[in-house]
Amino acid sequence: MTLQQLQYFLAAVEHGTFSGAAAALYMAQPSLSEQIRRLESELGVALFVRAGRRLVLTEAGRALRPEAERTLAAAARAAASVAEVRELTGGTATIGTFGEAPNWLIGNVVATFRRRHPGVRVRVIGLNSSEVADEVREGRIEAGLVVLPIDDAGLDVRPVMTSELLYASADEERLRAPIAVERLAEVPLILYDARWGSDDPTRRALLERAQLAGVRLEPAIEVEELGSALDLAARGLGDTVISQVTTVRRGALPSALGLVPFAEPLYETFAFISRRDAQLSPATRELVALAEQQLATLAERSGGAVSLH
Amino acid sequence: MTLQQLQYFLAAVEHGTFSGAAAALYMAQPSLSEQIRRLESELGVALFVRAGRRLVLTEAGRALRPEAERTLAAAARAAASVAEVRELTGGTATIGTFGEAPNWLIGNVVATFRRRHPGVRVRVIGLNSSEVADEVREGRIEAGLVVLPIDDAGLDVRPVMTSELLYASADEERLRAPIAVERLAEVPLILYDARWGSDDPTRRALLERAQLAGVRLEPAIEVEELGSALDLAARGLGDTVISQVTTVRRGALPSALGLVPFAEPLYETFAFISRRDAQLSPATRELVALAEQQLATLAERSGGAVSLH
DNA sequence: CACTATCCATAGGCTCTACCTATGACGCTG
DNA sequence: CAGCGTCATAGGTAGAGCCTATGGATAGTG
């Protein structure tokens, strides 16, 4: 049984003749007749009574008719659902981001996207950078925004922005000058998940620096979210590290906190990643483009402290 | 888009590889790959990301999957609904009968049929014989039981039984001997619809006889149903005519009524009709066969007064 | 690091399908 | 009875669907 045969069958039912149905479908009558015959022989029953001048449905034909209509409708819906993805009027745009990104990046981006494409659902998956890279590699997420370095096997990596990593403290004493990495070991450190999850690139960079300096870093407090870490730091319970770009948004940084760069500056490089050789769906491509614009806006507001690639 | 392509697509989704899916479908891998490629090109999107070792659905593929499943399920239902008709586990059996038939024929037949084939719906259309013939000719009813003669153009007519037409009266005086048709004009006549509807063959036979005898028949009372006519006749309000076979069933005839044949006997011939060259659906064939058995039973009980063909 | 197994894509070839045109048979209709 | 419209049949063509054989890429393995 083929969709074509069902279509021909329905056309014949509606027109009452094979010739008329064939003409309506811009084809020759014997071609349509043949498909009907094939369908009948596969189903093992006659669908029409050939009544000389007129076609009449058999009991089997009457039973088939509504089911054939349902089947063709389902097929049309299948094609339409794919077209929606193609036409950006349906489907889902998916992007993975490292843990702290949603707060300062995603709000505007998602709002703009939904305004332009109301039919498209949006999924933002917050993980750490290496997990995002894995998910993209496995195809479960189409694209991601990560902090370099990551394992780039099988991935297209497109760096977009570099932002300096800053030291944040409520203690003015420690903000006088750029801070040496050795001093991090001497103060209570507050770190949040994305900054301390396994394989986090910034964590690795910090630990490496500390090792070279001969000290060992142990966080005094670990919390889940960047916001909580800033809150605790503002109350003087410890100090934390934060990316320059994060601080650009108005109100992101509690007023009690001050910032200072590292003596030997640390930088984070952000990059968009996607599967190598796999082109993005229009929805996700659009979402990535919007995220890129948002990054540009932030870089501009930072007055040059954050630089685009 | 074909059902086959959707089937291959789903197999590939489930197995995660084209080779595995092809093996499960007992076919070569390039054949399946080609169909997937064809489907993708028709839909204008990639459905899979070819990830070296592993296949991963794209956003479009994810959108297609549930719709493809629905479409294949609908197609399976379509085939099943036709199979039900073929296998006598679904569909509808339809038979047309002349007006008074349902009372003495259909009860048992339908009960037996439903007991044997609970899934099959039954429609018994009560019309007069010539209307039944028309409906069968037009294909709206598959088969019918009629009283001959009818216009048999385009029909297969299979006579099954002959039954004598009897005169029924509550007046013993008129039951002494076979009644001459002339006397019908002298007594109040009670006729029921099916015996007096336009084109009813028995009516025509009666009128013809009367014309030849030089009298004119006018019913004193006309009612809708045979039962009503018998009731009125039993009260002595007039006489009526009734087919021998109708009287066989216990309790069908009020005890006040007596029967007598016509001086020049009148016979009704019953016949099954169906479209010429159109084979019956199994359900209707079965229904007709049961009706035939029922007629045989009635003929037997009549003790020979009703004869089978 | 080479080796192997696995998987997809490509190429060439075969068979059957789907379609066409031309024509015949049948039934309806003026 | 002739003419028209319908479906069926016959014969031919392009392409669909499938096969086997083979090459290239990738992940696991000694």
Side-chain angles (χ1 to χ4, degrees), chain A residues 134-217:
Chain A
D134 286 344
E135 295 286 294
V136 171
R137 219 189 323 271
E138 308 247 333
R140 284 194 289 270
I141 296 178
E142 282 193 87
L145 179 60
V146 297
V147 178
L148 297 184
I150 51 156
D151 174 11
D152 65 355
L155 296 179
D156 260 350
V157 179
R158 193 157 52 85
V160 283
M161 194 175 73
T162 295
S163 171
E164 187 168 0
L165 200 64
L166 301 178
Y167 182 76
S169 178
D171 184 346
E172 302 223 343
E173 180 64 29
R174 305 191 197 116
L175 299 173
R176 293 262 164 79
I179 192 166
V181 82
E182 295 91 329
R183 291 206 54 195
L184 275 158
E186 302 166 9
V187 301
L189 213 51
I190 305 174
L191 290 175
Y192 41 100
D193 186 40
R195 244 326 145 265
W196 209 244
S198 62
D199 297 329
D200 181 78
T202 305
R203 172 200 177 204
R204 289 216 305 270
L206 270 176
L207 288 179
E208 206 172 297
R209 284 278 178 90
Q211 279 188 333
L212 286 176
V215 299
R216 182 185 173 80
L217 293 185

Side-chain angles (χ1 to χ4, degrees), chain B residues 14 58 74 91 115 117 199 211 260:
Chain B
E14 281 175 30
T58 62
R115 208 177 322 117
H117 311 292
D199 298 328
Q211 277 188 334
V260 72

Side-chain angles (χ1 to χ4, degrees), chain B residues 29-92:
Chain B
Q29 163 262 317
S31 308
L32 188 140
S33 295
E34 183 184 349
Q35 292 312 310
I36 300 287
R37 218 174 314 123
R38 219 177 269 276
L39 179 60
E40 287 177 322
S41 104
E42 183 184 335
L43 294 174
V45 292
L47 297 170
F48 293 100
V49 173
R50 275 73 166 173
R53 197 88 177 163
R54 177 154 227 76
L55 288 178
V56 182
L57 279 177
T58 62
E59 173 59 25
R62 267 190 290 271
L64 179 60
R65 183 181 185 174
E67 301 299 332
E69 283 168 349
R70 269 192 271 278
T71 304
L72 287 183
R77 261 197 307 275
S81 71
V82 171
E84 281 179 355
V85 171
R86 203 184 47 213
E87 310 291 339
L88 258 171
T89 56
T92 305

